[in-house]
Amino acid sequence: MSVERMLMEAKSGDGISDALAKKLLNVPLNELCRAANEVRENRCGTAFDLCSIINAKSGLCSENCSFCAQSSSHNAHVRQYPLLTGEELFEAALKAKKSGILRFSIVTSGGALSSKEIDSVCKAVEKIRSEADISVCLSLGLLSEAQFRLLHSAGAERIHNNLESSKGYFPKICTTHSWEEKCEAIKAAQSAGLTVCSGGIIGLGEEPEDRIAMVSAIRALGVKSIPVNILNPIPGTPLENMKPLPYEELLRTIAIFRLMLPDSAIRLAGGRALLPEHGEACFLSGANAAITGNMLTTTGPSAQSDIMRLKNLGYEVKDID
């Protein structure tokens, strides 16, 4: 099947199949990126979803994810502190709102928050929703449906939980929890009334086919917000010597994701600081969302510079349903 026929299928249907996606691994990159951008324009228009995150609890994580500086299993140098206060979270959310950002995400280290910490986050979310009027997302680990319901009742709209990679490759990057546990947590959040943001990291040593399998699983879960992180090899982690992913491979990956998920928010996330012009070419290759500002343990572009960049590219910062 030609790229043109795949383009027609992506425009009219629910996205191309895994088998067709694999055929795109070898087509000319410029042709592929053009097609992906055309699908994005056709299915999503000029809307661009911009969010920011806060590292609300840092370090001393019991999980052993090989890419993460916050794991207590590794020797990376990272700040360690307990859950931030409700006032600190509110002030950060208010700053994000004033910067023109649509979503504010509270992210914590560890396998899951305690009941006491969940209660603190609920109170912070209630204050943020009532006084800062910004959408709140949460990334708090592998919680139960009952805990997700508490957070939803407090005003949270979305839960973030990355699958990270394919089911087959995941055990090579983490052994303290399973890929299946992540899927169950995603389903629990959805049952509690929350939408979900779930993607992964590319450049972990996986094959391109693993990325396609990951997105296929995300699509099957009904997830519409897909973060694409690029590995930032951090000293002290097991992947510190991993070679950076070629930019062309990132562009191809994002373009294929767009054709598989034609009306979703493909969100450029961690690793943006490593890219030319903070990944601007990605926004012309199918990506239509991004995390702005600092990441968990690394820096990123400011909201002001991102909003100006997006305006110059013809985008409008607004929510993507």
Side-chain angles (χ1 to χ4, degrees), residues 194-205:
L194 292 152
T195 61
V196 174
C197 179
S198 182
I201 304 175
I202 63 174
L204 297 168

Side-chain angles (χ1 to χ4, degrees), residues 165-177:
S165 190
S166 68
K167 180 179 180 180
Y169 197 77
F170 186 85
K172 297 181 181 179
I173 58 173
C174 181
T175 59
T176 50
H177 61 270

Side-chain angles (χ1 to χ4, degrees), residues 46 75 86 107 155 163 170 222 224 236 240 249 255 266 270 287 290-291 300 305:
T46 59
N75 297 311
V107 185
L163 290 185
F170 186 85
K224 293 292 186 180
E240 62 181 341
E249 190 169 348
I266 308 295
I291 298 176
S305 65

